[in-house]
Amino acid sequence: MVALPEIQRHKTHAVKIRGVTVGGGAPVVVQSMTNTDTADVAASTQQIKELHFAGSEIVRVTVNNDDAARGLIKTRELLDKEGLNIPLAGCFHYNGHTLLSEYPDLCQALDKYRINPGNVGFGQRRDAQFEIMVEKAIEYNKAVRIGVNWGSLDQDLSTKLMDENAALPNPKAADEVMRETLVQSALISAQKAEAIGLKPEQIILSAKVSRVQDLIAVYRALAARSNYALHLGLTEAGMSSKGIVATALAEGILLQEGIGDTIRASLTPEPGGDRTLEVRVCREILQSLGLRSFTPEVSACPGCGRTTSTYFQELAQDIQRYLDTQMPVWIKDYPGVETMKVAVMGCIVNGPGESKHANIGISLPGTGESPVAPVFIDGKKAQTLRGDNIAGEFQAIVDAYVKERFCAGKQSAA
């Protein structure tokens, strides 16, 4: 027997963020970020809702000036009026200490403050301004993400480590020193926050870079040297398939090693593109690894010369859309339905076998095969569909299966 590798989660402190738990063995949390002008209350509120309904469990929002601070306060009020208990994280750079000091309602409206040690302040003001932000988090009992970034490294620390490295008999590569600077910046800042009075259970660390191998190395080091909750993500993953692949590789490898408590896919959206794509990518990464289940999985073959008809492709697409449409209803009435597996196959070669491995599957006729479509339920052939309404009939079979298999109490006995 070949056993599946068991994922042993890295032990981290549990951080509570408006009803969401990050770390402490809790399920990995999906995070996203708005790209609207935070001062535009209507647009920001709408996008936060879109990200939330797509599955984002924490939404980060830029707070860069007075108008943004006031806008965020109003946005929180509107969300609360609608009963939407969505955790909001404030992304601060350069002037966070000022905005949190001047807007008490902002301190309360946010559930997490993001502090970048590389630009919280410069020279003698750095420690004082860092302390102000941490003290506000303590006063309002909020979480803090200490997020270092290789594009805005702490220059004093970077220079110090570079000088020390240059004095070594065998200096290390500059990239290695850069990675060490990221790790030390995050850990030193977390220790300073604790010294001020912030609890470990209020701290999340991130150390973002753009290259996959750098991210893996940095987070392995953070996990080895601390027990803080960790947020994973490439800082600029890129556009389209490049960004998706890089994100899936970097986060997937770390998650498989048990590293990471919350994740984001920092994808560059195409003009007019859907911002919720980054949420779907994160959910698919977690579901593909078996760490969480969000929606039934549809397996479909890629097609070949045996499947010159596009019928099976259209059916697979129809079934996926049907599942996506039904899930908001099903998830309330049929607990466990998100773990269901559906197979839509295009010919007899792998069709029956793949269908038997799914909860429910259909094998469509390939080129030259009889115009029939056997349906398999829980590994056994249940019936054969014919005619022009195979898609509709199969959807009806899936619907009946969900209502029977996942009705209250039956999923635990199956």
Side-chain angles (χ1 to χ4, degrees):
M1 299 293 290
V2 178
L4 289 173
E6 184 177 353
I7 298 177
Q8 297 287 345
R9 296 284 301 281
H10 172 60
K11 293 182 180 179
T12 60
H13 299 292
V15 182
K16 304 289 186 180
I17 305 174
R18 191 179 279 260
V20 173
T21 301
V22 175
V28 179
V29 171
V30 174
Q31 181 169 308
S32 62
M33 185 174 183
T34 60
N35 64 351
T36 55
D37 181 354
T38 309
D40 186 338
V41 175
S44 296
T45 302
Q46 179 60 31
Q47 191 173 83
I48 289 169
K49 290 162 63 176
E50 290 171 356
L51 292 166
H52 170 70
F53 290 125
S56 179
E57 292 156 302
I58 299 173
V59 179
R60 184 157 61 110
V61 180
T62 295
V63 188
N64 59 330
N65 54 39
D66 295 281
D67 288 340
R70 288 189 288 265
L72 192 283
I73 293 167
K74 183 62 177 177
T75 292
R76 176 80 271 169
E77 292 174 356
L78 293 176
L79 294 173
D80 289 344
K81 284 181 180 179
E82 293 189 45
L84 296 173
N85 196 36
I86 304 170
L88 299 180
C91 188
F92 295 102
H93 296 282
Y94 307 109
N95 61 349
H97 61 290
T98 300
L99 294 173
L100 289 172
S101 297
E102 294 183 354
Y103 295 94
D105 288 347
L106 176 65
C107 299
Q108 189 60 49
L110 291 169
D111 303 290
K112 182 172 68 170
Y113 308 160
R114 193 276 182 134
I115 304 175
N116 184 340
N119 58 33
V120 69
F122 302 97
Q124 296 179 344
R125 293 178 297 176
R126 178 190 295 115
D127 289 346
Q129 292 172 183
F130 178 83
E131 185 172 348
I132 289 171
M133 297 184 74
V134 171
E135 286 177 341
K136 291 299 180 183
I138 295 169
E139 179 182 353
Y140 289 89
N141 193 29
K142 303 295 183 176
V144 169
R145 171 153 75 94
I146 295 173
V148 300
N149 189 304
W150 73 343
S152 51
L153 276 173
D154 181 332
Q155 290 303 306
D156 290 342
L157 179 61
S158 178
T159 300
K160 173 178 176 292
L161 294 184
M162 283 291 185
D163 289 344
E164 290 176 354
N165 181 65
L168 294 174
N170 297 299
K172 299 175 181 178
D175 281 355
E176 189 172 351
V177 180
M178 179 274 294
R179 291 190 291 269
E180 178 62 21
T181 304
L182 282 165
V183 173
Q184 286 198 27
S185 179
L187 295 177
I188 291 170
S189 297
Q191 291 161 7
K192 287 180 179 178
E194 282 197 59
I196 296 167
L198 199 66
K199 299 175 183 176
E201 295 80 14
Q202 291 175 273
I203 298 174
I204 297 173
L205 297 186
S206 69
K208 290 194 171 185
V209 295
S210 294
R211 298 192 300 239
V212 171
Q213 294 290 2
D214 288 321
L215 193 82
I216 293 169
V218 166
Y219 275 89
R220 282 173 175 167
L222 283 174
R225 299 192 210 175
S226 77
N227 293 114
Y228 296 112
L230 299 177
H231 170 76
L232 303 185
L234 293 166
T235 187
E236 295 106 4
M239 295 183 71
S240 191
S241 60
K242 184 269 179 187
I244 293 172
V245 170
T247 298
L249 280 171
E251 295 182 359
I253 289 170
L254 288 166
L255 290 167
Q256 181 67 22
E257 295 178 4
I259 299 171
D261 302 289
T262 173
I263 64 173
R264 183 191 171 206
S266 298
L267 305 177
T268 303
E270 297 180 1
D274 185 356
R275 188 67 169 181
T276 63
L277 175 61
E278 66 176 58
V279 179
R280 299 198 301 276
V281 168
C282 287
R283 285 162 63 102
E284 288 169 10
I285 290 170
L286 295 175
Q287 183 146 339
S288 296
L289 287 170
L291 290 172
R292 294 185 68 178
S293 294
F294 299 101
T295 188
E297 290 184 10
V298 177
S299 298
C301 67
C304 66
R306 299 179 63 92
T307 57
T308 53
S309 168
T310 61
Y311 184 73
F312 84 96
Q313 298 169 332
E314 294 165 356
L315 178 56
Q317 186 178 60
D318 288 344
I319 288 296
Q320 185 66 69
R321 287 173 177 166
Y322 176 71
L323 295 173
D324 291 342
T325 301
Q326 293 297 109
M327 271 305 292
V329 177
W330 282 349
I331 199 65
K332 297 177 183 177
D333 299 332
Y334 305 106
V337 67
E338 68 276 6
T339 65
M340 182 174 67
K341 292 179 173 55
V342 179
V344 181
M345 307 305 294
C347 77
I348 200 171
V349 174
N350 291 318
E354 288 286 351
S355 296
K356 289 177 182 178
H357 287 302
N359 294 108
I360 182 167
I362 187 170
S363 179
L364 296 168
T367 304
E369 296 176 15
S370 300
V372 298
V375 175
F376 297 83
I377 297 177
D378 290 330
K380 297 179 181 179
K381 184 177 177 180
Q383 63 187 99
T384 300
L385 303 182
R386 298 177 174 84
D388 298 327
N389 192 33
I390 289 178
E393 292 178 14
F394 185 63
Q395 287 183 10
I397 293 170
V398 172
D399 190 65
Y401 178 85
V402 168
K403 293 176 180 177
E404 169 63 22
R405 170 69 171 77
F406 297 100
C407 64
K410 286 207 171 185
Q411 68 275 9
S412 59

